[in-house]
Amino acid sequence: MCGRLAQYRGIHDFVAALSMPGALQNNVGDQQLEGYNVAPSTPVALLRVDDGGLLVDMVKWGWRPHWATDRAAPINARVEKVAHGAFFRAIWPHRAIVPVDGWYEWVADGGQKKQPYYIRRRDGQPSLCAAIGQYAGSEHDGFVIITADAKGGMVDVHDRRPVVLSSGLARQWLDSALPKEQAEQLALNLGEGPDAFEWYRVSTAVGNVRNQGAELISPLPSES
């Protein structure tokens, strides 16, 4: 992932896609999120479970351990390494779901500038992305999205993709009773494949984080 996503629906639409029964602790509000061009280090709506049930908060996109002051906070974590490396050890048990409408990738197509593409589910549903993070209520809070190798035609757009889970698997991912070893295998092997997604060229205006609005996810006219 190149580090830009869209999260514009209301939180209740995302919760409905998760299909998780029980009460919702909503710290985000009922309004549309209207995030068409969400950049790293900004707050993103994130779903997790605590003793009171399903909880939604705004959490900063990006995290690093307190001792890693020599580098910028990563926004993604490779599924092949995240469960075993020292860098993410403290937050690996703290699983969450980042529900997004889609995300952007930039592709070198021979021109002077890279061409942005927007990627979303073909069925119109939100993408439920596996994530881990820290949620202690301090300045060090944040999260990272877990990514895997892209497959199929998606490789032409980018070689990495978020681990997007079905609603049933997303509920398992959020379940604190799921052993860490099983969570690792779930993320490694059960993410949605490329057939679940579509992607198309969009305006280069998305490259400027100050630009917002639904026009950013509109397909460019087809070339004749």
Side-chain angles (χ1 to χ4, degrees):
M1 295 178 67
C2 282
R4 206 69 64 79
L5 58 82
Q7 194 183 57
Y8 55 81
R9 301 184 218 206
I11 197 61
H12 293 289
D13 293 324
F14 292 131
V15 171
L18 184 63
S19 298
M20 192 168 186
L24 172 66
Q25 304 169 76
N26 182 2
N27 295 326
V28 172
D30 299 328
Q31 71 281 358
Q32 298 291 298
L33 294 173
E34 299 291 346
Y36 289 92
N37 193 8
V38 180
S41 78
T42 56
V44 176
L46 179 141
L47 299 167
R48 57 192 178 91
V49 171
D50 68 4
D51 292 341
L54 186 63
L55 169 68
V56 56
D57 275 320
M58 300 298 290
V59 182
K60 181 180 68 177
W61 185 14
W63 181 87
R64 66 182 180 188
H66 65 86
W67 45 264
T69 56
D70 59 339
R71 60 176 292 182
I75 58 172
N76 303 322
R78 299 174 70 94
V79 70
E80 302 89 349
K81 300 179 179 180
V82 64
H84 302 286
F87 196 89
F88 295 110
R89 183 175 296 145
I91 62 170
W92 170 241
H94 305 307
R95 301 187 295 268
I97 290 291
V98 180
V100 303
D101 290 284
W103 69 95
Y104 301 92
E105 302 288 2
W106 278 257
V107 179
D109 61 0
Q112 291 185 338
K113 293 184 178 181
K114 290 185 176 181
Q115 172 62 51
Y117 281 72
Y118 184 61
I119 304 172
R120 64 185 181 187
R121 289 188 64 103
R122 291 185 188 275
D123 60 10
Q125 291 296 306
S127 293
L128 302 174
C129 302
I132 53 174
Q134 175 177 313
Y135 328 109
S138 76
E139 61 179 329
H140 301 295
D141 285 4
F143 74 91
V144 294
I145 294 173
I146 297 178
T147 66
D149 284 337
K151 298 177 182 178
M154 196 178 286
V155 175
D156 297 335
V157 180
H158 207 262
D159 61 349
R160 304 293 296 179
R161 60 181 171 84
V163 173
V164 176
L165 302 174
S166 67
S167 58
L169 291 174
R171 293 192 298 271
Q172 288 186 42
W173 177 258
L174 289 173
D175 187 351
S176 60
L178 183 71
K180 290 185 289 185
E181 297 78 12
Q182 291 184 31
E184 179 187 8
Q185 291 304 309
L186 187 158
L188 277 169
N189 300 312
L190 298 178
E192 299 275 29
D195 290 346
F197 302 95
E198 61 180 2
W199 49 91
Y200 52 83
R201 298 162 60 246
V202 293
S203 169
T204 55
V206 74
N208 187 333
V209 297
R210 292 191 295 270
N211 293 330
Q212 293 287 342
E215 67 276 5
L216 295 177
I217 64 171
S218 297
L220 290 181
S222 299
E223 297 179 352
S224 56

